[in-house]
Amino acid sequence: MARPADRFPASTAKSAFPYLLAVAFALTFALSLRAAQVDPRLLFDAQALGNVARFVRGALPPKLDPEFLGMLARPAAETIQISVMGMVIAVLLGAPLGLLATSSLTWRGILHERVTRRARLMLGAAPYGAARALLSVFRSIPEYVWALMFVRAVGLGPFPGVLAIGVAYGGMLGKVYSEILEAVNPRPLETLHAAGAGKAGVVLYGLLPEALPHVVSYTLYRWECAIRASAILGFVGAGGLGQQIELSMRMFQFDEVLTLLAVLLLLVGTVDFISGRIRARVVR
Amino acid sequence: MYELRDVRKVFDDGSVALDGMSLTVGAGEHVAFIGPSGAGKTTLFRILNLTLRPTSGMLRLNGTDVATLSGADLRRARTSIGTIYQQHNLVGRLRVVHNVLAGNLGRWSTLTALGSLLRPRATDEAARALAQVGIPEKLYARTDELSGGQQQRVAIARVLIQDPDVVLADEPVSSVDPTLAVSIVTLLRDISNESRKTLLMNLHSVELALTYFPRILGIREGRVHFDLSPDKVSPEMLEELYAGHGDERGELAALGEGTNSFGKACRPLPGFDR
Ligand SMILES: Nc1ncnc2c1ncn2[C@@H]1O[C@H](COP(=O)(O)OP(=O)(O)OP(=O)(O)O)[C@@H](O)[C@H]1O
Ligand SMILES: [Mg+2]
């Protein structure tokens, strides 16, 4: 029997690659340390420690009087509502664009063997390219920046937050949907196609059922992110808990801030729980 | 039904799967294709069901050059051809009923197709097809929970629903036990006889091919090696057809002793008693 070394000569050969990689990493790390002005001492100098102490003293105990808690119900609900409406828009944008951005569905691969080159480019590749470009614009601009723009456009309140999440997350969902769909085993799709099914039939009876667990799972994960994001968006005036946090911070009401953060934690935990239940049902 | 002239198929990676294949199949004929692994049988079937486009050569379906077909015509032509694949190619996450009813997709509108996913229509038709292949109780089972042989039968039930003029079966019995293999081959033969369908079948088992088909096509290296009735197929021809393919030789040797994988169902074939 051949010794392992005979069968896998590559594994015993001396290669410089790992060492080069290590040097490159060390260099990047050192440069970043300087450029990002990382200085642990700043965390521990007297002034910083004083500030931290002031925050902690101010925050404890958290403000729990019924009047304040009652006042939180509305922004908490608003945060949820922003995330849900934002996700609805995100799915409505991401799903059709994601389908168009799936090359195996629009212009490449076994479903297009008998489509003329011209039709493939005009009716397939062109919409595919447009969808991908749009998706990448949507998701490369941070939701925070989208919110700033929408606040300008439609004014303060939850609506710009909804739009910001819808567009930014629509871009992410569409991109990931298309990757999930392209990874689906093409053989069952070929079978449907060969039996006379059109694109819609292939999508409904092959592509979507096969991809459903991943699609649902990723969408729920994004919803969890949207809750956190909708809190951040409050900082630029897009409503919800974030706006309250920002207000209380500015007034140095750290006990309120702590309560608000606790409520946010509760919301994220609840969403986590609900999406876990949905996942368990769908992803089998 | 089919007329092929000098059909070649070269894949993008340069491998030549079909190398000038010419043959004619009449309506209602039953033909078995045999030949070593990699001979091009599956590729031929994918060309015959209008999935792949030949690199060169001509394919006529009912007198029409298929190169001229596109759009709705192409879809209609595909609807008239039913394929049972070597791998079952079913959608595992769907219930059996939907995989069977998918045979209707060539005729259904998008709305009908969507509606049936939510509330299956024509379930009695699907149930009848499943009964015909012997698994009526699996109508609402999840497809990926079935055994390989059961999935193969779901694929056949789908073709029954599709009700095509031609049935292409690509090694439909490679994943089932020998007795079931015989019953699947005879089932496909009987169904095709009843409704006068053309039946083309790829078979790894020379025994099944010679026993159940009136016309045998030997395929080797992308070409027709012989095209004969089973009584004209000699052991020498089979030796030659499978030359250089050791594993399949083993099966040939067993044929002579009557102890091949099909057990009692098989008798030693004349001429194999060396
Ligand atoms: N998609 C593909 N891309 C590249 N080469 C391919 C492709 N499909 C098949 N081939 C090659 O074409 C040749 C014929 O393959 P094919 O699957 O038609 O053989 P087969 O007769 O069905 O074999 P088996 O009996 O093992 O199923 C093989 O050499 C194979 O590697
Ligand atoms: Mg094959």
Side-chain angles (χ1 to χ4, degrees):
Chain A
M1 211 189 103
R3 295 197 325 276
D6 298 335
R7 281 187 289 141
F8 303 109
S11 67
T12 54
K14 298 262 187 294
S15 163
F17 186 69
Y19 299 104
L20 282 176
L21 204 66
V23 170
F25 180 78
L27 218 62
T28 312
F29 182 77
L31 287 174
S32 309
L33 205 61
R34 283 187 54 141
Q37 303 177 2
V38 176
D39 185 355
R41 280 170 307 175
L42 281 182
L43 268 177
F44 296 104
D45 78 10
Q47 200 191 343
L49 284 179
N51 285 339
V52 171
R54 191 137 35 88
F55 180 84
V56 171
R57 232 177 300 128
L60 288 173
K63 188 166 183 177
L64 291 174
D65 69 69
E67 195 197 347
F68 178 65
L69 287 182
M71 226 182 65
L72 288 187
R74 219 178 63 89
E78 207 169 76
T79 293
I80 301 245
Q81 286 155 356
I82 292 173
S83 76
V84 169
M85 283 317 296
M87 285 307 289
V88 168
I89 294 182
V91 170
L92 289 180
L93 277 177
L97 287 174
L99 282 172
L100 281 178
T102 304
S103 67
S104 57
L105 195 61
T106 44
W107 65 289
R108 266 201 297 238
I110 194 67
L111 301 186
H112 304 93
E113 266 273 320
R114 283 190 170 270
V115 181
T116 61
R117 204 182 133 74
R118 206 182 128 81
R120 227 190 290 180
L121 293 180
M122 302 276 291
L123 303 174
Y128 164 85
R132 285 190 82 89
L134 210 56
L135 286 173
S136 91
V137 170
F138 284 177
R139 71 175 187 283
S140 53
I141 298 175
E143 60 262 37
Y144 189 80
V145 177
W146 279 118
L148 282 174
M149 294 199 276
F150 283 125
V151 165
R152 284 281 167 100
V154 302
L156 292 174
F159 189 45
V162 167
L163 291 177
I165 290 186
V167 173
Y169 281 38
M172 296 180 212
L173 289 182
K175 173 76 185 330
V176 174
Y177 287 169
S178 74
E179 277 169 10
I180 293 172
L181 294 178
E182 289 200 350
V184 166
N185 177 7
R187 289 188 168 281
L189 312 184
E190 175 184 332
T191 309
L192 294 170
H193 195 59
K199 286 277 169 67
V202 171
V203 170
L204 289 173
Y205 280 75
L207 206 55
L208 288 188
E210 293 281 83
L212 196 68
H214 289 117
V215 164
V216 169
S217 208
Y218 184 73
T219 308
L220 290 171
Y221 166 68
R222 270 294 148 204
W223 181 37
E224 293 164 30
C225 300
I227 289 274
R228 282 189 290 274
S230 67
I232 297 291
L233 296 184
F235 278 63
V236 295
L241 281 175
Q243 206 158 347
Q244 290 300 319
I245 295 177
E246 205 256 348
L247 270 174
S248 302
M249 277 286 222
R250 204 158 358 137
M251 314 287 241
F252 298 106
Q253 302 291 329
F254 297 131
D255 53 345
E256 294 183 5
V257 172
L258 189 58
T259 310
L260 285 161
L261 288 179
V263 171
L264 187 59
L265 191 74
L266 203 69
L267 288 189
V268 173
T270 310
V271 166
D272 231 352
F273 177 75
I274 296 173
S275 65
R277 297 294 290 265
I278 300 177
R279 217 175 262 136
R281 270 191 61 95
V282 177
V283 183
R284 277 195 303 134
Chain B
M1 195 79 228
Y2 279 121
E3 189 191 335
L4 281 77
R5 199 153 352 111
D6 280 330
V7 167
R8 272 173 62 82
K9 177 69 194 179
V10 185
F11 284 104
D12 289 341
D13 64 359
S15 58
V16 181
L18 298 184
D19 193 11
M21 184 161 305
S22 300
L23 70 106
T24 309
V25 177
E29 254 195 283
H30 289 191
V31 187
F33 293 75
I34 57 175
S37 192
K41 305 182 295 297
T42 298
T43 305
L44 173 64
F45 274 31
R46 288 168 87 207
I47 282 178
L48 293 179
N49 75 10
L50 311 187
T51 297
L52 293 177
R53 183 198 286 278
T55 310
S56 66
M58 196 191 54
L59 167 61
R60 283 182 191 280
L61 175 66
N62 296 323
T64 312
D65 182 352
V66 300
T68 63
L69 293 176
S70 68
D73 291 336
L74 182 57
R75 237 184 109 178
R76 204 168 311 120
R78 283 186 174 133
T79 309
S80 74
I81 305 167
T83 314
I84 296 156
Y85 285 83
Q86 196 165 358
Q87 303 88 350
H88 317 304
N89 291 4
L90 300 170
V91 179
R93 296 183 41 78
L94 281 183
R95 296 190 183 286
V96 168
V97 62
H98 295 305
N99 269 303
V100 174
L101 290 177
N104 281 315
L105 287 176
R107 292 178 288 264
W108 278 356
S109 70
T110 301
L111 223 56
T112 312
L114 180 62
S116 177
L117 272 185
L118 304 175
R119 192 161 167 281
R121 42 193 297 146
T123 46
D124 45 338
E125 211 185 316
R128 216 173 315 126
L130 279 181
Q132 219 172 333
V133 296
I135 46 169
E137 72 282 5
K138 298 294 185 191
L139 188 59
Y140 292 106
R142 232 178 81 156
T143 306
D144 53 12
E145 284 164 0
L146 302 187
S147 73
Q150 289 169 336
Q151 292 192 22
Q152 193 59 278
R153 287 188 270 178
V154 171
I156 296 173
R158 170 191 288 179
V159 168
L160 290 178
I161 290 285
Q162 187 185 340
D163 191 25
D165 302 331
V166 196
V167 175
L168 306 175
D170 190 6
E171 300 188 19
V173 294
S174 55
S175 65
V176 300
D177 68 70
T179 32
L180 188 57
V182 170
S183 69
I184 284 182
V185 169
T186 50
L187 173 72
L188 283 170
R189 185 194 59 179
D190 296 344
I191 290 165
S192 309
N193 272 335
E194 265 168 43
S195 43
R196 311 173 67 88
K197 297 184 200 312
T198 311
L199 175 64
L200 308 188
M201 193 181 292
N202 282 337
L203 284 168
H204 256 154
S205 158
V206 176
E207 165 78 13
L208 284 176
L210 296 183
T211 311
Y212 294 103
F213 285 83
R215 181 177 171 194
I216 311 292
L217 262 143
I219 307 288
R220 184 182 165 86
E221 288 169 1
R223 261 177 300 230
V224 177
H225 196 65
F226 58 73
D227 179 356
L228 297 165
S229 64
D231 52 311
K232 302 268 170 41
V233 178
S234 71
E236 290 77 27
M237 286 170 163
L238 292 172
E239 281 285 346
E240 210 181 299
L241 182 67
Y242 287 101
H245 290 262
D247 46 333
E248 277 135 316
R249 261 219 174 93
E251 197 201 337
L252 288 184
L255 275 177
E257 301 153 18
T259 57
N260 60 69
S261 56
F262 295 95
K264 288 195 280 295
C266 293
R267 55 206 152 53
L269 288 179
F272 280 91
D273 47 355
R274 281 169 303 141

